[in-house]
Amino acid sequence: MSPAFYNKVANHILSRHAQDLPDLRGVTILLPNNHIAQPLAQALGAVSQSTLLLPKMVTLSDWAQGVVLDAPIITDSQLSALLYQQLRKQKWFEQADLWSMTQELLTLFDELTHSLTALPNDAEVFAAAVQQAYQARQNSTLQLEARLVFELWYAMQAGNELDTARAYQLRLAKLAAQAQQPLFVLRTSDWNALEQRFLDEYAERAEVTVFDLRNEEEISSRARFIRTALSANDTLDLRTKTTQLHDILPLGDTLRFFAATSLEQESRAAAMQVRLWLAEGKRDIAIVAQDRVVARRMRALLERAQVLVADETGWTFATLSVSTVLMRWLDALQSDFYHHDLLDLLKSPFIFADIPAAERKAAVYQLEQLLRKQGVVAGLEKFIALAGHEVVLHQPLARLRQAAALLEQNKQKTLADWLAALRASLRVLAIDTGLQLDDAGMQLLQALETWQQELAGDEGRYRFAEWRRWLAQQLDTKIYHDSSIDSPVRFTHLAATRWRAFDAVLLLGCDADHLPSVADGGRWFNDAVRSSLDLPTRSTHAARQRDDLLALLMLNECVLVTWQKDRNGEKGLLSSYLEMLRDLHDLAYGDDLSERELHRYLAAEEARSVDLPQSVQPAPSVAQEAVPASVSISAYNSLVACPYQFYARHILRLNELDEVHEGIEKRDYGERVHDILRRFHERYPFVSEQPIDELEAALRQISEQVFADLLKQDFAASAWLARWFKSLPAYLDWQLANEAQGWRYAEAERAFDWELEGVRLRGRIDRLDVREDEKRVLDYKTQSDQVLRNKLLEPGEDVQLACYAYAHEAADAAFVSIENGKVKLVEPKHDVPQLAQLNAERLVQVMGSIRGGAGLPANGIDQACIYCEMRGVCRKGEWQ
């Protein structure tokens, strides 16, 4: 980058103060940011060609911060609490989020304070001004809005303590009143009203020289081209302006545009360009990120290529994992340790940092298995009782109980007391120990301590939920800057580039939605009112961004602009500022500045990527020692449905973890029906000749007992119980008919473990009936008879009944369909003993083949694959 701009400033300062050389300490230079102090100092030394005592070079905010005020200054956190209490006391917005409203009002109050000299000093006059701006007559809503804003703002100004905005105002006034030294100002865009007023007042007492890049006449031809384009109003105006460009060289060597077809392509192109610049030897690369989503993806791609990126912009604490553990802890507490919240908390690397990682992981795994197995949804005391003899869980759960006791949710406390309780709970859980090992964690702990100290004098009392919303808002506004990365590549934002020059600049995400970015004025006042009150408007923000963009393009000679011309299937538009620039260049030189080389590099990168072999139908074999020695009925059914499913589920043991059931499901209903019928038939093994009313009453009583725990947990359980009650008469009728045929209930829930040749078959039958020397196994199903008949259409497809019959040497087997108030017996159409023998022989043969190295192909039919959780493992969709 040519140092011409810095040299011009240096020449001007040195010529104006030649009599003072080499001592320039009597001069003050106002900088737009501290980054340019070094290059400006270098320019002063280079132009003077001698050793200098440098002038004071400072930003306006830093300069003002050095002015001592007599009155105390209230912190932002204290002011926020005071305003919240005012809003809560007025009870005007009971249903609103008062903390977000507080934040919006404080921003508005700062703007009003900065515009103080132009404001009415009476609520009625203020309301009339607002109403006139809205062009409305006697609108009660507008009057209320204006009066509310004015009176709250006035109340905040009435105290003895100064807020940040008033303190800044008074400090600038003091600086202006004490003006003696000449002042040089570097800027690219307009200041706000307060800062401009300071400059005007300072100029009344001392010499002020402003270097504004927008007004520089002796600038490069490239800069003139850019300024011409950005000042155009439409395409017709562009055509007119082409006549002004006869002596200006094209920009193709300094500026290019890359129009991406997706977020991923934009990220890849941007990352590729940064790597190319680094390969060329560029060592000061700025990424001006307009679209933070693209920036995140690009950063990941650069880090994959081992290119670290420094970040001047920073991230809010709300987006960082160190804050996530805090919010997960409070989520768990507020939800009575809902199992998802609790497990999320315990899986954080920051909790229980004083326990070895292996022990922490073992405890979390054990608790998760326990919760899923027992189906307990929430309640810390329930989890503690459930842990029983699981020693590894005792200490973590006890510490959670101790930490929860410190945060008494049913009380109202001051913000400082809530923060003290939070920090105490973090110590109990050793979260603070984990956070101290992380730079962002250290800054978070410091922020909590600072807020607690600042709010020690605030006497307002808040419910737990109010304090949580306050904390969430604080974390969403406080910025974390990672200073640990030193890299030639840096993320920054447009305002931070003022008067800065880089080896290369990447303008990322410059579509119309992100440039200019629109400042949200909140719910208070439209732009017409803001303009009449001399407050910033949307056009103010947009103009400032346009001017900053102009300066960036003027000062930098290697710039790539990226944007997405296609976004989620919809056409995207380039920023209007840059579109004017591109179109003017196209009209003048027949070049729309499109970047084409990057496409070639991206294609080459794709060509070098590893081509994975085409997926094929898997058919793995199993080492003999890994073949299971015993097989359950469900595993055998899986083997018949799809050998690969059996392999994944029962050899690799990739079964999905059972979910904790938060509501009653069909499976829960079926299990309860089985238990009810087992209890009923243990009490009444023979129902004939018993009074039918007594039988139905007993069945109802047993049903209510079995469903009792579910009814306490979930109201929906009453619907399932009613569904079962509907089937009671039909079941008793079926049982009576069953006994009339000579069948007698023998036993239920009987387990078996049969030794076959080279494999054992194990399972548990629902019920066994006998008739003299005959046996019949029954399996209760809460499904329709048609569904069950479909299961039995093909002999051997469903092995359940055949295996039960084989294990109990029964000649008969059947499903008992209990559904929709009907009870029906569904029997196989084929000879049951023969089917049982063939099923046993097939199991022996197949297991022998597996031990011999036979493959287990993924050959399940589509119906078996629909609900198979292993479909993603066998990848059927890719090889079919």
Side-chain angles (χ1 to χ4, degrees):
M1 188 317 256
S2 170
F5 287 91
Y6 294 117
N7 289 345
K8 179 177 180 180
V9 173
N11 271 313
H12 189 92
I13 293 172
L14 291 171
S15 63
R16 293 287 290 272
H17 296 277
Q19 71 280 4
D20 299 323
L21 295 177
D23 189 354
L24 293 177
R25 288 177 295 175
V27 175
T28 299
I29 305 176
L30 277 187
L31 309 176
N33 56 70
N34 289 315
H35 296 286
I36 66 172
Q38 182 179 358
L40 184 55
Q42 291 171 344
L44 286 167
V47 172
S48 68
Q49 296 183 346
S50 62
T51 302
L52 296 175
L53 294 175
L54 291 172
K56 182 186 184 100
M57 292 186 283
V58 65
T59 64
L60 184 55
S61 59
D62 287 346
W63 194 17
Q65 198 63 36
V67 176
V68 178
L69 297 176
D70 297 330
I73 299 174
I74 189 171
T75 65
D76 290 343
S77 61
Q78 292 169 321
L79 189 64
S80 176
L82 287 174
L83 180 55
Y84 181 88
Q85 291 164 44
Q86 286 279 345
L87 289 172
R88 188 171 61 179
K89 183 170 64 177
Q90 298 294 346
K91 296 183 179 179
W92 289 327
F93 306 101
E94 292 186 4
Q95 304 302 318
D97 180 359
L98 293 187
W99 282 121
S100 66
M101 186 177 291
T102 297
Q103 193 66 35
E104 286 183 9
L105 279 170
L106 288 177
T107 302
L108 178 61
F109 292 167
D110 286 349
E111 294 172 342
L112 289 170
T113 299
H114 290 169
S115 303
L116 182 61
T117 57
L119 281 176
N121 55 9
D122 178 82
E124 297 299 332
V125 178
F126 182 80
V130 170
Q131 202 157 309
Q132 182 178 3
Y134 273 116
Q135 297 181 345
R137 293 184 179 179
Q138 299 300 320
N139 187 307
S140 59
T141 302
L142 296 181
Q143 287 180 330
L144 174 63
E145 178 184 13
R147 180 175 291 277
L148 167 70
V149 169
F150 185 87
E151 291 184 354
L152 286 173
W153 169 70
Y154 198 80
M156 293 296 104
Q157 302 285 314
N160 295 325
E161 295 176 317
L162 301 174
D163 61 32
T164 305
R166 285 179 65 204
Y168 187 48
Q169 182 186 51
L170 291 177
R171 282 172 167 148
L172 290 184
K174 271 195 170 186
L175 282 176
Q178 299 166 0
Q180 292 179 346
Q181 297 179 333
L183 182 64
F184 295 91
V185 182
L186 277 60
R187 69 182 185 188
T188 64
S189 53
D190 290 337
W191 286 359
N192 64 37
L194 173 63
E195 293 167 339
Q196 186 58 49
R197 192 159 60 245
F198 154 78
L199 202 60
D200 295 341
E201 291 173 2
Y202 194 103
E204 293 174 2
R205 296 174 176 83
E207 183 182 8
V208 175
T209 303
V210 177
F211 297 95
D212 191 331
L213 289 178
R214 296 170 297 177
N215 302 326
E216 291 296 316
E217 293 301 330
E218 298 174 10
I219 56 178
S220 67
S221 61
R222 183 180 76 260
R224 291 205 306 275
F225 183 99
I226 294 167
R227 190 164 61 185
T228 300
L230 293 187
S231 65
N233 297 317
D234 51 34
T235 304
L236 183 61
D237 194 14
L238 283 178
R239 293 184 183 278
T240 303
K241 290 180 181 295
T242 56
T243 60
Q244 307 170 17
L245 306 177
H246 56 85
D247 61 338
I248 297 179
L249 295 174
L251 307 183
D253 293 336
T254 59
L255 175 65
R256 284 293 174 185
F257 292 83
F258 183 89
T261 57
S262 66
L263 183 150
E264 181 66 17
Q265 190 187 49
E266 183 178 11
S267 305
R268 289 180 57 230
M272 175 63 72
Q273 183 61 77
V274 169
R275 290 162 58 193
L276 290 171
W277 281 335
L278 289 172
E280 292 171 10
K282 297 185 187 300
R283 287 297 174 264
D284 189 10
I285 300 171
I287 303 170
V288 183
Q290 297 298 119
D291 187 336
R292 295 290 276 178
V293 177
V294 178
R296 288 192 192 98
R297 177 58 182 152
M298 176 199 180
R299 183 175 195 158
L301 292 172
L302 286 173
E303 289 179 351
R304 184 188 298 175
Q306 299 183 334
V307 176
L308 296 180
V309 184
D311 193 344
E312 295 178 357
T313 306
W315 302 88
T316 64
F317 272 89
T319 63
L320 304 178
S321 60
V322 292
S323 296
T324 301
V325 68
L326 258 64
M327 304 317 285
R328 286 288 178 270
W329 162 229
L330 298 177
D331 285 340
L333 191 65
Q334 202 166 5
S335 66
D336 190 23
F337 292 91
Y338 175 62
H339 65 284
H340 280 312
D341 293 336
L342 177 59
L343 291 173
D344 282 348
L345 170 67
L346 295 179
K347 290 174 183 178
S348 168
F350 297 107
I351 193 170
F352 300 133
D354 55 348
I355 299 176
E359 291 183 24
R360 288 204 316 267
K361 291 178 181 178
V364 175
Y365 175 78
Q366 201 154 345
L367 178 63
E368 185 168 16
Q369 295 292 324
L370 197 61
L371 296 184
R372 293 178 185 278
K373 183 178 180 181
Q374 299 297 330
V376 180
V377 176
L380 182 59
E381 295 304 323
K382 292 180 182 178
F383 299 153
I384 291 173
L386 198 63
H389 301 294
E390 304 289 349
V391 179
V392 72
L393 296 178
H394 289 173
Q395 185 189 14
L397 292 177
R399 290 170 71 173
L400 285 168
R401 175 197 273 164
Q402 181 186 352
L406 295 169
L407 285 159
E408 304 160 292
Q409 295 183 70
N410 58 342
K411 292 189 177 182
Q412 292 191 4
K413 300 181 182 181
T414 66
L415 294 175
D417 287 342
W418 280 121
L419 286 167
L422 172 64
R423 293 177 65 199
S425 72
L426 298 182
R427 287 192 290 272
V428 170
L429 299 175
I431 291 176
D432 63 340
T433 304
L435 293 177
Q436 288 168 10
L437 302 175
D438 184 276
D439 181 56
M442 287 286 290
Q443 291 190 33
L444 176 59
L445 291 174
Q446 182 60 51
L448 295 175
E449 182 179 357
T450 300
W451 293 330
Q452 185 182 340
Q453 292 172 352
E454 290 176 351
L455 294 163
D458 179 63
E459 298 179 354
R461 305 189 76 81
Y462 305 83
R463 299 186 307 276
F464 179 83
E466 288 180 294
W467 167 70
R468 271 213 64 185
R469 287 196 293 274
W470 171 85
L471 180 62
Q473 182 166 283
Q474 292 294 105
L475 295 175
D476 199 36
T477 54
K478 187 169 181 61
I479 301 296
Y480 165 69
H481 294 280
D482 186 358
S483 58
S484 63
I485 298 176
D486 183 16
S487 171
V489 184
R490 73 187 76 187
F491 279 128
T492 189
H493 57 281
L494 195 55
T497 65
R498 292 167 184 166
W499 276 84
R500 293 172 72 183
F502 306 92
D503 290 346
V505 175
L506 179 65
L507 279 165
L508 190 68
C510 293
D511 55 73
D513 292 335
H514 292 93
L515 182 66
S517 59
V518 178
D520 183 7
R523 68 197 86 193
W524 307 101
F525 305 149
N526 63 20
D527 272 0
V529 177
R530 286 179 157 270
S531 180
S532 71
L533 298 176
D534 202 21
L535 299 177
T537 63
R538 285 178 172 81
S539 61
T540 306
H541 293 292
R544 191 167 292 150
Q545 291 176 72
R546 181 200 62 215
D547 293 340
D548 289 338
L549 177 64
L550 167 65
L552 178 65
L553 295 176
M554 286 168 60
L555 288 170
N556 291 274
E557 299 178 353
C558 180
V559 180
L560 176 69
V561 175
T562 71
W563 62 291
Q564 293 174 48
K565 64 179 181 181
D566 294 308
R567 182 185 292 272
N568 300 324
E570 297 183 2
K571 184 177 180 180
L573 298 175
L574 180 62
S575 165
S576 59
Y577 301 151
L578 294 167
E579 186 174 20
M580 287 291 186
L581 176 59
R582 184 190 62 178
D583 290 351
L584 179 61
H585 198 273
D586 195 20
L587 286 170
Y589 306 110
D591 178 8
D592 65 359
L593 296 173
S594 293
E595 166 57 57
R596 295 178 177 84
E597 284 297 301
L598 273 179
H599 288 286
R600 183 169 60 83
Y601 282 105
L602 292 177
E605 184 180 54
E606 290 177 359
R608 286 199 304 270
S609 62
V610 178
D611 289 328
L612 297 176
Q614 180 67 31
S615 295
V616 295
Q617 181 183 22
S621 57
V622 184
Q624 187 170 349
E625 61 273 14
V627 178
S630 67
V631 174
S632 66
I633 299 296
S634 62
Y636 188 10
N637 248 335
S638 180
L639 179 61
V640 172
C642 174
Y644 188 86
Q645 185 188 86
F646 171 80
Y647 168 75
R649 283 181 181 174
H650 302 284
I651 295 179
L652 296 183
R653 301 184 183 279
L654 297 180
N655 302 49
E656 287 185 320
L657 288 172
D658 291 333
E659 291 294 330
V660 177
H661 300 311
E662 300 181 32
I664 308 303
E665 298 180 357
K666 185 69 176 289
R667 182 176 66 176
D668 302 306
Y669 170 65
E671 289 173 353
R672 300 299 162 129
V673 168
H674 282 61
D675 192 23
I676 291 166
L677 293 177
R678 178 186 61 79
R679 296 190 191 190
F680 174 73
H681 284 296
E682 284 177 354
R683 186 186 300 182
Y684 296 99
F686 185 65
V687 302
S688 297
E689 301 177 2
Q690 297 284 347
I692 194 69
D693 292 344
E694 177 186 331
L695 293 172
E696 187 166 342
L699 200 48
R700 282 181 173 272
Q701 180 191 28
I702 293 170
S703 301
E704 289 168 352
Q705 291 173 354
V706 170
F707 271 85
D709 61 327
L710 292 180
L711 291 169
K712 291 179 182 177
Q713 294 177 26
D714 190 350
F715 178 76
S718 58
W720 288 102
L721 181 58
R723 178 176 179 173
W724 163 240
F725 281 160
K726 185 179 178 182
S727 297
L728 296 191
Y731 180 78
L732 291 173
D733 289 344
W734 174 84
Q735 179 60 23
L736 287 169
N738 191 50
E739 292 181 2
Q741 295 173 10
W743 291 106
R744 300 290 183 268
Y745 170 84
E747 58 183 321
E749 299 295 328
R750 179 178 173 185
F752 63 86
D753 194 340
W754 269 72
E755 183 74 41
L756 302 177
E757 186 180 339
V759 64
R760 295 200 316 275
L761 180 64
R762 52 188 168 81
R764 182 185 299 273
I765 66 161
D766 287 350
R767 170 171 165 178
L768 177 67
D769 279 8
V770 295
R771 182 170 63 184
E772 297 181 355
D773 294 335
E774 295 180 80
K775 294 180 182 179
R776 182 172 67 181
V777 290
L778 298 176
D779 192 62
Y780 299 125
K781 295 290 185 185
T782 53
Q783 295 172 299
S784 70
D785 58 314
Q786 187 57 52
V787 170
L788 297 174
R789 286 193 183 91
N790 291 339
K791 279 188 174 186
L792 301 176
L793 280 177
E794 293 293 331
E797 284 296 318
D798 188 280
V799 304
Q800 194 171 11
L801 290 179
C803 289
Y804 288 160
Y806 184 88
H808 292 280
E809 298 178 328
D812 289 303
F815 291 126
V816 180
S817 167
I818 306 173
E819 178 69 0
N820 198 27
K822 300 176 183 178
V823 178
K824 294 184 179 181
L825 200 68
V826 180
E827 300 176 278
K829 294 183 178 180
H830 307 86
D831 182 71
V832 172
Q834 182 183 14
L835 202 59
Q837 183 62 38
L838 291 174
N839 264 284
E841 291 175 1
R842 178 174 60 179
L843 178 61
V844 169
Q845 179 184 356
V846 171
M847 294 304 292
S849 298
I850 295 173
R851 282 194 299 274
L856 293 166
N859 60 10
I861 61 174
D862 290 342
Q863 189 174 359
C865 296
I866 291 175
Y867 301 108
C868 178
E869 75 278 16
M870 300 303 164
R871 187 184 180 102
V873 182
C874 79
R875 305 179 71 83
K876 182 175 182 178
E878 297 197 11
W879 52 260
Q880 188 176 32

